[in-house]
Amino acid sequence: VGGEQISSIGRGLCVLLGISLEDTQRELEHMVRKILNLRVFEDESGKHWSKSVMDKQYEVLCVSQFTLQCILKGNKPDYHMAMPTEQAECFYNNFLEQLRKAYKPELVKDGKFGAYMQVHIQNDGPVTIELESPAAAVDPKQLTKLEKQQQRKEKTRTKVPSESSRERNAPRNKDDPSASSGAEGDVSSEREP
């Protein structure tokens, strides 16, 4: 963070934690159990997928990453599903506290909440596993009202032509300033954040 190393671990797990608006204490407890008991390490005889981070007494590095909650609106990320900063920071700190209580506090490290960080991960394998709590798993048939509205807007946006075919085929007067091709400027209705 800002050119200074604030945390590091040896062998273990790097947890990139995305916190949703809908997350509760129940999801938090589920994720703590899942992370600590996930069998992704080999045992003493070399058998893969046999041991958890707790079995091996490895470390855990947690990084809060709201970008995991992004939904794409066309090609632009939308973060309305991410928990607001003040709530998310409290949730994240509670997550760390629960993780440390359930394991060894000295083996659980974290980044700096809300900071722009350079995260260097040496991904062994590489193995990357996405974990979601059962309540957080989304069935496409059960999209939230907001997501359905967004999808309707996207469909409407792509179906509406910018000009009628009659206007498109009509000859344009070179001297008429309103006869622009539209190439002179950005006519997008979307605003930058």
Side-chain angles (χ1 to χ4, degrees):
V1 176
E4 178 187 346
Q5 182 175 314
I6 60 163
S7 198
S8 70
I9 64 168
R11 194 140 164 87
L13 296 176
C14 179
V15 176
L16 304 176
L17 182 69
I19 305 169
S20 165
L21 270 173
E22 300 168 352
D23 286 335
T24 66
Q25 184 66 28
R26 185 172 152 229
E27 281 81 33
L28 184 147
E29 291 167 1
H30 174 85
M31 295 309 293
V32 166
R33 280 192 310 275
K34 210 54 159 165
I35 288 164
L36 293 177
N37 292 293
L38 185 66
R39 294 184 301 165
V40 292
F41 300 103
E42 58 187 41
D43 65 13
E44 294 72 29
S45 66
K47 182 180 175 196
H48 293 284
W49 315 107
S50 302
K51 298 290 183 175
S52 70
V53 72
M54 288 198 311
D55 294 333
K56 300 292 274 185
Q57 299 295 294
Y58 287 161
E59 295 174 288
V60 179
L61 174 64
C62 297
V63 179
S64 175
Q65 191 166 355
F66 78 96
T67 56
L68 291 171
Q69 295 302 320
C70 118
I71 294 173
L72 291 180
K73 287 177 72 176
N75 291 326
K76 186 177 178 181
D78 181 313
Y79 299 103
H80 74 273
M81 294 304 289
M83 188 178 284
T85 305
E86 299 76 30
Q87 289 174 272
E89 185 171 14
C90 183
F91 193 94
Y92 178 69
N93 289 331
N94 190 11
F95 173 80
L96 289 171
E97 184 181 322
Q98 295 297 319
L99 202 58
R100 289 177 174 131
K101 276 185 189 175
Y103 190 34
K104 295 182 174 183
E106 68 276 9
L107 296 181
V108 178
K109 309 287 175 66
D110 67 316
K112 185 173 181 182
F113 185 89
Y116 182 81
M117 294 175 275
Q118 294 291 316
V119 181
H120 301 274
I121 304 170
Q122 184 175 339
N123 196 344
D124 193 8
V127 175
T128 304
I129 298 174
E130 185 177 333
L131 297 177
E132 287 193 31
S133 60
V138 178
D139 179 354
K141 294 178 184 174
Q142 298 176 342
L143 291 172
T144 66
K145 185 178 178 181
L146 188 56
E147 288 170 321
K148 287 180 182 177
Q149 287 172 346
Q150 272 188 277
Q151 286 181 344
R152 281 195 294 272
K153 284 180 185 175
E154 282 294 318
K155 285 179 185 174
T156 304
R157 215 178 279 147
T158 58
K159 287 181 182 176
V160 176
S162 60
E163 54 185 276
S164 72
S165 58
R166 193 168 19 148
E167 289 172 333
R168 208 177 310 133
N169 295 329
R172 294 185 186 253
N173 182 346
K174 289 182 186 179
D175 299 327
D176 182 1
S178 66
S180 167
S181 68
E184 287 84 7
D186 182 14
V187 292
S188 171
S189 62
E190 291 188 37
R191 294 180 7 196
E192 291 299 315

